[in-house]
Amino acid sequence: MRRWVMLGLGVNAHAGVTLGLSGLPLVIPDLQRHFGVSLPVAGIIGNAPGIGILFALVAWGALADRYGERLVLGLGVGMAAVLFAAVAFVDQIWAVIALLALAGAAGCAALVGGGRIVLRWFLPPERGVAMGVRQVSYTLGMAAAAFILPPVARAHGISGVLIACAGTCLLAAVLAAVFLADPPHTPGRAGAAPAASPYRQPALWRVHATSALQVVPQVVVGTYGVACLVGVYGWDGVEAGQLFGFAAIGGAAIRVAVGRWSDVTGLRMAPLRLLTLVALGVLALLVLGTFTRSWPGVAMLALASLITVAGNGLAYLAAGELAGPATAGRVLGTHNTVQNIVVLAVTPVAGLLITGAGYWAAFAAGLVCLLISVPVIPVRDERDGTSAAPA
């Protein structure tokens, strides 16, 4: 029971910080009006925390490997709360982006800390479900952001949104700092440092590459989905945010179910490949729907917000298991850093595609990247036992 309490604290920390790290794209129309900027610039502001995440994840992972999750989560998420509050009192675009980037650099401590809780407190046959629950933290955070941030933006403006983000971070940081603990040193939960770098395994590189490719449709749908509903289908901004909120709640159940599936099969990559094939079909219909401006585009947009993130936990868990306990923090930090490099590159490019050709073009670009990822997924290595999870 205690390990689930620890996991719950990690989930709470990640969910709390997600409002500010990933929820701002849900109020992109408000960012445009508030700052008087174009859609691509508003997209950069909404994803500015990713700039800081890019440079800080590996460092937080190394600190977590050395000092544990309690210090890392309490300090990092607490600093993020202060920085989000500071942004509420700034108007200059460069300062807003800089402070949001610093908030991302601080708050991303929750990303690697939560993953290490799963690897340190749970045995391999339990980790799929545990990582599914841990990945729900992002889903819960995005659901909360979808239901909270658009109404707050309407009532109190962008400053109110930033204060709300700061408050959730502060609460999560206090709970983590007070209640998190280290796991007992029982057999199977801890291991000696590996003799060689985990990056001598080709499978680990392929897991990173798979996630890099598959994050493209995730960021396009997550960043511009609400704007698509407003601009193409004439939805109200609050209602559009609520649709993504309900989709995120459904995604929570899917992540846990996918984790259980991987535990039963003893595989991580084979289920990920099947999910990828399903996502390809959904994105193809999404491209067609948005190109023709027909109603299936709305349904596929909601479904795409579910299916494009359903396998995140499998790739993340596979990377951590390949790393082993001694280097899991750094490898998980690297894994998320790779993803955030792609996010930062894709966000403005997708905005330009949308401005020049339409939303369908950005969704089509995501479809192409997802298709390329299929042969990269290291399914054969896993079945041959070369990427088996360590005990």
Side-chain angles (χ1 to χ4, degrees), residues 84-224:
F84 280 125
V87 180
F89 302 97
V90 173
D91 293 323
Q92 296 89 346
I93 301 300
W94 67 268
V96 169
I97 292 174
L99 286 173
L100 286 174
L102 289 173
C108 70
L111 278 65
V112 294
R116 287 186 84 255
I117 290 173
V118 172
L119 293 168
R120 296 179 70 205
W121 280 88
F122 292 84
L123 296 171
E126 306 169 314
R127 287 179 186 160
V129 170
M131 187 61 78
V133 173
R134 186 265 175 191
Q135 289 288 316
V136 164
S137 58
Y138 174 82
T139 306
L140 291 177
M142 288 304 295
F147 286 114
I148 294 171
L149 298 189
V152 169
R154 174 170 293 182
H156 303 288
I158 292 300
S159 296
V161 167
L162 293 164
I163 294 298
C165 293
T168 56
C169 286
L170 181 60
L171 176 61
V174 170
L175 291 174
V178 172
F179 295 110
L180 266 178
D182 290 326
H185 295 289
T186 54
R189 284 189 170 88
S197 167
Y199 285 100
R200 295 189 179 186
Q201 305 169 85
L204 182 53
W205 290 97
R206 293 178 66 181
V207 170
H208 287 335
T210 297
S211 289
L213 289 164
Q214 296 198 355
V215 81
V216 174
Q218 294 173 31
V219 70
V220 173
V221 171
T223 300
Y224 297 109

